[in-house]
Amino acid sequence: FVFPVMFVNSNDDSKTVLREEIWNACLYAAFIFSAVVIVSFTLFKEKPKTPPSATAEEKREGNVWENFMRLIQNKNFLLLCLCFCAVMVTTGTSYACLAAIIHPFGFGPRDSATFGVTFMIFGITGAYLAGKYVGRTKKYK
């Protein structure tokens, strides 16, 4: 939300100017994300010194296809997958339609980016608080 608006902020209706700003935004994004990837590859190792969990220490054997078939027969996994997909589709649709919804009320692209970031911040905060609540009350399966 924020990154494109930082670099594509022209009020000029010229397609040439807009095309150049979009190209520059893509170039800046490529440089920034390439730097992040290079730093990640140099700092992170293939394996951590200690496993991140007790199950990570276990050796897993078996056919991937058999494990996958067992997984898709697990009702709890399917419910979790359905809930996750529903949230992702709803969020993606809301963000895609946001500019069209707020434009008639006089809001522009910067406002759309601000609304999107606000949604994300409150969503992350809500997920964190819900996780803390569920962890404390043990109201999960």
Side-chain angles (χ1 to χ4, degrees):
F1 285 105
V2 176
F3 190 75
V5 176
M6 288 171 47
F7 298 107
V8 182
N9 57 10
S10 176
N11 293 330
D12 190 3
D13 289 335
S14 170
K15 288 184 179 184
T16 308
V17 172
L18 187 60
R19 183 178 297 140
E20 185 177 318
E21 286 185 353
I22 291 173
W23 174 256
N24 288 338
C26 291
L27 214 60
Y28 297 146
F31 285 132
I32 290 170
F33 295 123
S34 296
V36 169
V37 167
I38 289 169
V39 168
S40 298
F41 280 136
T42 57
L43 292 180
F44 297 122
K45 298 179 174 139
E46 185 177 332
K47 280 183 157 181
K49 292 178 184 176
T50 59
S53 67
T55 57
E57 288 185 41
E58 297 176 11
K59 297 281 184 181
R60 293 198 173 99
E61 294 184 19
N63 188 350
V64 174
W65 183 252
E66 291 171 3
N67 292 337
F68 177 73
M69 292 306 290
R70 265 190 316 171
L71 183 64
I72 63 171
Q73 292 172 356
N74 184 338
K75 290 181 182 179
N76 289 330
F77 171 76
L78 292 176
L79 181 63
L80 179 67
C81 190
L82 177 71
C83 292
F84 180 76
C85 290
V87 168
M88 292 302 293
V89 167
T90 304
T91 304
T93 305
S94 300
Y95 288 157
C97 297
L98 185 61
I101 293 170
I102 67 172
H103 181 70
F105 298 100
F107 294 106
R110 284 196 184 274
D111 300 317
S112 177
T114 304
F115 294 153
V117 169
T118 305
F119 291 159
M120 289 162 73
I121 289 171
F122 279 102
I124 291 168
T125 305
Y128 175 77
L129 293 175
K132 285 290 192 185
Y133 172 76
V134 168
R136 185 177 305 132
T137 59
K138 308 287 189 219
K139 292 189 176 185
Y140 55 86
K141 267 188 171 180

